[in-house]
Amino acid sequence: MIVLDGVSKVYHGADGEVRALDDVSLTVAPGEFVAVRGPSGCGKSTLLLTVGGMVRPTAGTMSIDGSDLYALGPARRARLRAERIGFVFQLFHLIPYLNALDNVLAPALAGMHSDRSEAAALLERLGMGERMHHRPPELSTGERQRVALARALIKRPEIILADEPTGNLDPENAAAVTGYLADFHRDGGTILVVSHDDLAAENADRTLHLERGRVV
Ligand code: ADP
C-alpha cells in the first residue's frame, strides 16, 4: 500500500519558489492501476519521483506498506526502491554502449535475482527476440522503450512507476507497451502511470487529475 499524507514539494529554482505538489494525500492499494493526468507542469513527474523515493517532500510523508520512505536512511531507501519498484521513463535512460540484453540485466548487477536466460525470455516476450544483441543507438524508439520496460520487469517489482511510457511511440508500439502494463496489472502488480494517452487511462482502475500540484 502506497500512502501519501499531506505531501508538498517546493523547488527553489532560478525564478524563485515553485510549489510542484501542494498538500497531496493519496492511497494506492496493492494491485491497483492508477493513471495520473493533468496539464504540463502540474506536478505529475514530481509525484512519481516522490513515490519512487527520488524526490524528498518538503512536507508530509510518503510510505510503502507502513515504512516511511524518507525516514529511512539513503541505503535502505535505495534497497527498498531496487527490490520493489520498477521505473519506466519517457527518455528510457538506457546505457548506450550495452546491447539490449545487457541493458535489461543492468539492475541485476546490483545483486537482483535474475539471469541472462530470464532477460532473454523477457525480451522475447516483448517481441525483441531478434534485436537483443543490438545497442540502443541501433534500435527504434519503440524497441528502446520495450528494453526499458524489460529492465523494469526483470526485477519482478511489486510497483511500476511509469512517466509517459508511450510518449514517444507510434500508435502500434504505444498499444504494445500499454498491453504489457495491463498484463503486469493482471498479474497483481501495482501501477502508477503518467500518461496523456487515453489507452493508459482506459486500462486504469482510477484516474487522478492533478492541477497546480493539487489533486482535483
Ligand atoms: P509535470 O510532470 O506535470 O509536467 P513536474 O512535476 O515536472 O510537472 O513539474 C512541476 C513544477 O515544478 C513545474 O513548474 C516545474 O517547472 C517545476 N520543477 C520540476 N522540477 C524542478 C526542479 N528540479 N527545480 C525547479 N523546479 C522544478
Side-chain angles (χ1 to χ4, degrees), residues 1-5 26 28-30 48-54 61-72 76-77 79-87 158-161 190 192:
M1 176 105 78
I2 298 169
V3 180
L4 286 86
D5 188 13
L26 166 71
V28 180
L48 225 56
L49 292 170
T50 302
V51 171
M54 294 162 96
T61 58
M62 153 63 217
S63 66
I64 295 183
D65 293 342
S67 59
D68 179 346
L69 217 53
Y70 295 93
L72 299 174
R76 287 186 61 200
R77 184 161 64 249
R79 195 167 73 221
L80 188 146
R81 193 162 68 211
E83 287 174 355
R84 307 186 62 178
I85 303 176
F87 288 95
E158 292 149 56
I159 301 165
I160 284 198
L161 303 175
T190 306
L192 207 54

Side-chain angles (χ1 to χ4, degrees), residues 86-135:
F87 288 95
V88 184
F89 296 102
Q90 184 173 13
L91 297 171
F92 324 136
H93 301 300
L94 298 178
I95 302 168
Y97 50 85
L98 295 182
N99 69 28
L101 189 60
D102 289 329
N103 261 289
V104 173
L105 282 164
L109 300 176
M112 306 305 298
H113 46 164
S114 50
D115 61 20
R116 270 185 110 67
S117 58
E118 197 179 341
L122 196 50
L123 283 170
E124 198 86 50
R125 214 184 94 215
L126 297 178
M128 288 288 295
E130 311 264 283
R131 310 287 289 163
M132 65 176 83
H133 299 292
H134 293 261
R135 289 193 284 261

